[in-house]
Amino acid sequence: MAVIRLHLPPDRSYDIVCGRGILGQIGGRLSATGGRRAVVIADAAVSATHGRRVAESLADSGIQVLPVEIPAGEGSKSVAEAGRVWGLLADQAVDRNTHVVAVGGGVVGDLAGFVAATFARGIPVWQVPTTLVAQVDSAIGGKTGINLPAGKNLVGAFWQPSGVFADIDALATLPHREYVSGLAEVVKYGMIFDPDFFAWLEANAADLVARSPDQLMHAVERSAALKAAVVERDEREITGARAALNYGHTFAHAFETAAGYGRLLHGEAVAIGMSCAARLAADMGRLAADIPARQDALVARLGLPVSLAGVGPLDADELLAIMARDKKSLDRRLRFVLPSRIGAVALVGDVDEARVRRVLAG
Amino acid sequence: MAVIRLHLPPDRSYDIVCGRGILGQIGGRLSATGGRRAVVIADAAVSATHGRRVAESLADSGIQVLPVEIPAGEGSKSVAEAGRVWGLLADQAVDRNTHVVAVGGGVVGDLAGFVAATFARGIPVWQVPTTLVAQVDSAIGGKTGINLPAGKNLVGAFWQPSGVFADIDALATLPHREYVSGLAEVVKYGMIFDPDFFAWLEANAADLVARSPDQLMHAVERSAALKAAVVERDEREITGARAALNYGHTFAHAFETAAGYGRLLHGEAVAIGMSCAARLAADMGRLAADIPARQDALVARLGLPVSLAGVGPLDADELLAIMARDKKSLDRRLRFVLPSRIGAVALVGDVDEARVRRVLAG
């Protein structure tokens, strides 16, 4: 087991606990902070398994548990579902001494985090991510949100959790495609922050695909530590440091939107987006010419796509329009996070549209 | 004109500008912070008057204005209306460089503030309160929120404005009952923080009822300064200092809920609530026996009620149940902010229910 401390001002600092079979520790940790009631929000896919284990751990520590199940899938990140959960909390007379515990993947974490950020102007939330992408990325750092018909995560809040529990054993039962999708974010950490970790991923790709626990533990722990470090430097995306995490994501969001949500998993879109971003950087002379192929090779060995070939043709005009609308864009000009070498990226503004079209054309 | 600086960490400090005919200054102030687009959210009652003046000031400073009108009344503080405004912002490709400007009373400020707090995980908001209660209370301090069927302000966020513009001249056209209602919060500041201000209110009650500009300016400026000082000490209601502002409000919320929203104006409920709180404090031996009558005399001279006589009988069991559900209550025990003298209050927990019933019975 490893405990990573995420250091922010005292009222917002917290531990990220990574380990095997640690769900039983949650009751003790939450109870130590004075919590006596907890709302356990889990999606239908995990509520009877991990959700129940978490609820039992809480009950064993004398905490009163109110279970809330939400439908599985991105559709739950909606105004309507947030409204339904707010209503359930109100009916249960939830107050600021009640804690929310989010058990599941990114959808549950984002929705439950947003509900916690906004109920009674903010109540504590604990994140218990049970997917790889949630363990290495979305559960850490306080970004919460829901979608609008016009776009993903358009509504949300920065709301740091009181703690994160990443149980590696929970990953054993993930569907293959969903598990592999999470590896895209792991590769991202190597590319943007840590050349040694990138090389380690190249050396251990086969074990990671096979979910070998030791390798998986290292990948989750290292990714979580890198994520925590950048959140410490830029909690609210103001200094620009946190923007590094959007490597591949401006492309990815456009792919997801244009393809229609659900056709591409988020990590698959990120994998293709990183490939585009690396080629764009090389095309601009910002990155050595051999790096895009090296990144593509690692991504492909992990079982992830590096091109849109499997998705079918997407309209370049539409993709460009979506990217210009991205909430990280500045007054609708195209901006991208681009690598300068393995382990370092920069935010590059005013990118020439013709170059982007060339990259999109493959 | 007076400018009160509200000091918080640099990213959340701001000016409260109080004066006559100052709406024309908004464009210059907003433009000086780099804003180039603004969404002006106003309710139907002020959108053609104050809302238009604000929009003209912004346009004169070269800022692109997107006007949004919301229906007048408490009904606009709803999940549905927040969802509608989020959608309008998304349609207009609002990003973090767009500012929200809220023009109107507490309903507009609370809704627009909540929408700004949560759109794109937070965009700047400027408060332009045009009612007395909003100028002295709700527009200052960053509390934003909407209502649920189960209760008022159950959903919300702490989100400090970038600036507050309180134009005294906007108060001249307020309906009498609404104007007078705002004076309850002014009396509250004297009772909880400032005996000299309380005495000044006693000496100037007639001029305040007549809306004499000099007296009104002093009352707004002093109230705003007292509110700002307590927000500085307890931005998020953690240390307990800010709880002083709830003087009279635990009773008031119960009266508003039990009477049905709309029958009592908020300030009227607060006036009756302060009378109850003072009598409760005297009954507990915490306050000199003559103070409740002195407070009632001032409140009555301002044209506000001091008892539920005009509302008709409310059920004591229902009122107690609502008060126990209040989000400031701790695990459902009764807590009240009670005065110990004019100018000082304390949060008192575990108040005997029988005493509360006695006070409610008059």
Side-chain angles (χ1 to χ4, degrees):
Chain A
M1 195 181 85
V3 178
I4 297 152
R5 182 75 179 168
L6 195 154
H7 296 277
L8 289 171
D11 62 319
R12 300 196 298 281
S13 296
Y14 54 94
D15 285 340
I16 302 158
V17 183
C18 303
R20 302 190 58 182
I22 59 171
L23 297 187
Q25 298 181 18
I26 293 172
R29 285 234 170 201
L30 198 150
S31 152
T33 68
R36 277 176 288 177
R37 293 178 88 206
V39 179
V40 176
I41 303 181
D43 75 30
V46 301
S47 110
T49 52
H50 309 311
R52 192 167 161 183
R53 296 239 302 281
V54 169
E56 285 168 358
S57 168
L58 293 164
D60 287 348
S61 293
I63 293 163
Q64 186 195 343
V65 175
L66 314 166
V68 171
E69 185 177 301
I70 66 167
E74 189 78 20
S76 285
K77 283 181 60 174
S78 64
V79 176
E81 189 64 14
R84 187 181 76 89
V85 179
W86 281 329
L88 292 173
L89 268 53
D91 292 344
Q92 298 288 341
V94 162
D95 61 20
R96 292 186 189 159
N97 296 303
T98 306
H99 297 230
V100 168
V101 182
V103 184
V107 167
V108 170
D110 285 2
L111 172 72
F114 179 62
V115 165
T118 50
F119 193 83
R121 297 199 188 94
I123 63 178
V125 62
W126 300 73
Q127 295 284 354
V128 186
T130 61
T131 66
L132 182 55
V133 65
Q135 291 190 355
V136 300
D137 183 18
S138 60
I140 302 166
K143 276 199 184 181
T144 71
I146 56 176
N147 304 328
L148 295 179
K152 284 181 73 169
N153 297 320
L154 283 178
V155 169
F158 287 98
W159 192 246
Q160 298 298 340
S162 298
V164 179
F165 291 85
D167 189 338
I168 307 299
D169 287 352
L171 307 179
T173 52
L174 281 183
H176 180 71
R177 188 176 165 198
E178 187 174 355
Y179 168 75
V180 164
S181 168
L183 292 172
E185 302 283 357
V186 176
V187 171
K188 183 188 77 177
Y189 288 113
M191 273 303 290
I192 64 178
F193 290 137
D194 189 340
D196 293 341
F197 185 46
F198 189 91
W200 181 89
L201 291 170
E202 290 180 311
N204 292 274
D207 284 329
L208 283 170
V209 173
R211 309 189 205 190
S212 303
D214 289 351
Q215 279 77 7
L216 199 42
M217 177 72 188
H218 180 71
V220 169
E221 184 189 338
R222 186 70 197 137
S223 298
L226 290 165
K227 173 81 185 255
V230 74
V231 170
E232 289 174 351
R233 284 160 55 210
D234 185 18
E235 184 186 2
R236 297 185 72 98
E237 290 188 320
I238 289 168
T239 70
R242 193 162 176 165
L245 298 171
N246 292 319
Y247 176 52
H249 280 61
T250 301
F251 284 106
H253 287 152
F255 298 153
E256 290 179 273
T257 304
Y261 291 127
R263 261 180 75 202
L264 272 171
L265 294 185
H266 178 65
E268 293 167 350
V270 169
I272 305 167
M274 290 194 297
S275 182
C276 291
R279 284 184 285 115
L280 178 59
D283 186 67
M284 293 172 76
R286 302 181 59 93
L287 180 68
D290 61 319
I291 304 295
R294 188 171 156 197
Q295 178 186 275
D296 281 357
L298 171 58
V299 167
R301 283 183 63 208
L302 295 171
L304 285 162
V306 294
S307 83
L308 289 165
V311 185
L314 297 178
D315 181 58
D317 289 334
E318 187 187 351
L319 293 172
L320 283 161
I322 297 167
M323 289 191 274
R325 272 209 314 262
D326 191 279
K327 70 176 173 302
K328 284 104 196 171
S329 77
L330 195 65
D331 293 331
R332 315 185 117 190
R333 281 171 298 157
L334 289 169
R335 292 206 301 180
F336 294 93
V337 175
L338 299 181
S340 44
R341 55 180 170 78
I342 291 175
V345 287
L347 186 59
V348 180
D350 243 342
V351 175
D352 183 29
E353 193 182 296
R355 282 188 201 276
V356 180
R357 285 182 186 275
R358 203 147 61 216
V359 161
L360 287 172
Chain B
M1 197 181 85
V3 178
I4 297 152
R5 182 75 180 168
L6 196 154
H7 296 276
L8 290 170
D11 62 319
R12 299 197 298 284
S13 296
Y14 54 93
D15 286 340
I16 302 158
V17 183
C18 303
R20 302 189 60 182
I22 58 172
L23 297 187
Q25 299 181 17
I26 293 172
R29 285 233 170 203
L30 199 150
S31 154
T33 69
R36 277 176 289 178
R37 292 178 88 206
V39 179
V40 176
I41 304 181
D43 75 29
V46 301
S47 114
T49 53
H50 309 313
R52 191 168 162 184
R53 297 239 301 280
V54 169
E56 284 168 356
S57 168
L58 293 164
D60 288 347
S61 293
I63 293 163
Q64 185 195 346
V65 175
L66 313 167
V68 171
E69 185 177 302
I70 66 167
E74 189 78 19
S76 285
K77 283 180 59 174
S78 64
V79 176
E81 188 64 15
R84 186 181 77 88
V85 180
W86 281 327
L88 291 174
L89 269 53
D91 293 343
Q92 299 287 343
V94 162
D95 61 19
R96 290 185 191 160
N97 296 304
T98 306
H99 297 230
V100 169
V101 182
V103 184
V107 167
V108 170
D110 286 3
L111 172 72
F114 179 62
V115 165
T118 50
F119 193 83
R121 297 197 187 95
I123 63 177
V125 62
W126 300 73
Q127 295 284 355
V128 186
T130 60
T131 66
L132 182 55
V133 65
Q135 291 190 353
V136 300
D137 184 19
S138 60
I140 302 166
K143 276 199 184 180
T144 71
I146 56 177
N147 304 327
L148 294 178
K152 285 181 72 169
N153 297 321
L154 283 177
V155 169
F158 288 97
W159 191 246
Q160 298 297 340
S162 299
V164 178
F165 291 85
D167 189 339
I168 307 300
D169 288 352
L171 307 179
T173 52
L174 280 183
H176 179 73
R177 189 178 165 197
E178 187 175 354
Y179 168 76
V180 164
S181 168
L183 291 172
E185 302 283 355
V186 176
V187 170
K188 184 189 77 177
Y189 289 112
M191 273 302 291
I192 65 179
F193 291 137
D194 189 340
D196 294 341
F197 184 47
F198 189 91
W200 181 89
L201 291 170
E202 291 179 311
N204 292 273
D207 284 328
L208 283 170
V209 173
R211 309 189 204 188
S212 304
D214 288 352
Q215 279 76 7
L216 198 41
M217 177 73 188
H218 179 71
V220 169
E221 183 190 338
R222 187 71 196 135
S223 298
L226 290 165
K227 173 80 184 259
V230 74
V231 170
E232 287 174 352
R233 284 160 57 210
D234 185 16
E235 185 186 1
R236 296 186 72 99
E237 290 188 319
I238 289 167
T239 69
R242 192 162 176 165
L245 298 171
N246 292 318
Y247 176 54
H249 280 62
T250 301
F251 284 105
H253 288 153
F255 299 154
E256 290 179 273
T257 304
Y261 291 129
R263 262 181 74 202
L264 272 172
L265 294 186
H266 179 65
E268 294 166 349
V270 169
I272 306 167
M274 290 194 296
S275 181
C276 290
R279 284 184 285 117
L280 178 59
D283 187 67
M284 293 172 76
R286 302 181 60 92
L287 179 68
D290 60 319
I291 304 296
R294 188 172 155 195
Q295 177 186 275
D296 282 358
L298 171 58
V299 167
R301 283 183 63 208
L302 295 172
L304 285 162
V306 293
S307 84
L308 289 165
V311 185
L314 298 178
D315 182 59
D317 290 333
E318 187 188 350
L319 293 173
L320 283 162
I322 296 167
M323 289 191 273
R325 268 209 317 262
D326 191 281
K327 71 177 169 303
K328 283 105 197 171
S329 76
L330 195 66
D331 294 331
R332 315 186 115 190
R333 282 171 298 157
L334 289 168
R335 292 205 301 179
F336 294 93
V337 175
L338 298 180
S340 44
R341 54 177 170 81
I342 292 176
V345 288
L347 187 59
V348 180
D350 243 343
V351 174
D352 184 28
E353 192 182 299
R355 282 187 202 275
V356 180
R357 286 182 185 276
R358 205 148 59 216
V359 161
L360 287 172

